[in-house]
Amino acid sequence: MAELRLLVEQHGVSMHQYADDCQFYLRTTINQTAAAVSKLSECLTDIRDWLSRRRLRLNPSKMQAMWLCSGQQLDKIGIREVSIMSTRVSVEHTVRDLGVIFDSRLSIADHVAACCMSLWLLPIASAPPSGMFPVS
């Protein structure tokens, strides 16, 4: 996969990879968001072609997009949908990756809320049921 990393870096895009899951990201200014989307789209098209030559496939239906920035900066970005390989991808405020929920402002509030909702609360008995502990 070193070849793939080199291909991605040629576009000025960074990458994290976990088994069969990849994250592609790049830094940009508010004034350059449209150019960043275009750069990322071109990179993903080249990745799709690279994978295709190796009889692998990139699944656009599983792609997620998100802006990561402060609330003030987020309000200045007008792009709410990006076109990636003929697929329209909505820009999300939260995404799940490897079981962790990330939000566009990089707080952990949504992740903590999801974790708390998934906890099972066990009833606690004030005294053990009779017959559970023999009396000596």
Side-chain angles (χ1 to χ4, degrees):
M1 289 302 197
E3 286 180 53
L4 179 59
R5 183 170 297 281
L6 290 173
L7 173 68
V8 169
E9 289 173 353
Q10 287 174 356
H11 287 277
V13 176
S14 298
M15 150 182 179
H16 283 293
Q17 185 175 6
Y18 313 96
D20 66 344
D21 183 38
C22 293
Q23 296 174 349
F24 304 102
Y25 61 95
L26 52 101
R27 294 179 68 119
T28 187
T29 63
I30 295 296
N31 300 335
Q32 297 294 316
T33 53
V37 168
S38 178
K39 183 188 287 191
L40 186 60
S41 183
E42 290 171 13
C43 179
L44 289 170
T45 299
D46 285 352
I47 290 169
R48 179 197 61 201
D49 296 343
W50 184 88
L51 290 169
S52 179
R53 288 192 298 273
R54 286 151 183 82
R55 298 184 182 173
L56 299 170
R57 196 180 86 177
L58 188 62
N59 189 350
S61 68
K62 291 189 174 183
M63 291 186 185
Q64 297 176 306
M66 180 172 59
W67 297 109
L68 297 172
C69 54
S70 70
Q72 289 177 329
Q73 297 292 7
L74 192 60
D75 293 339
K76 296 176 185 177
I77 299 174
I79 300 171
R80 300 290 179 240
E81 190 176 74
V82 295
S83 179
I84 300 173
M85 300 180 310
S86 304
T87 301
R88 304 297 292 174
V89 177
S90 295
V91 175
E92 304 292 336
H93 290 288
T94 60
V95 297
R96 180 182 297 269
D97 186 45
L98 299 174
V100 178
I101 298 174
F102 294 93
D103 66 54
S104 55
R105 295 181 181 168
L106 289 178
S107 76
I108 60 169
D110 292 320
H111 182 70
V112 170
C115 289
C116 290
M117 287 176 55
S118 69
L119 291 177
W120 289 93
L121 299 178
L122 300 175
I124 300 172
S126 58
S130 62
M132 190 167 190
F133 296 106
V135 178
S136 39

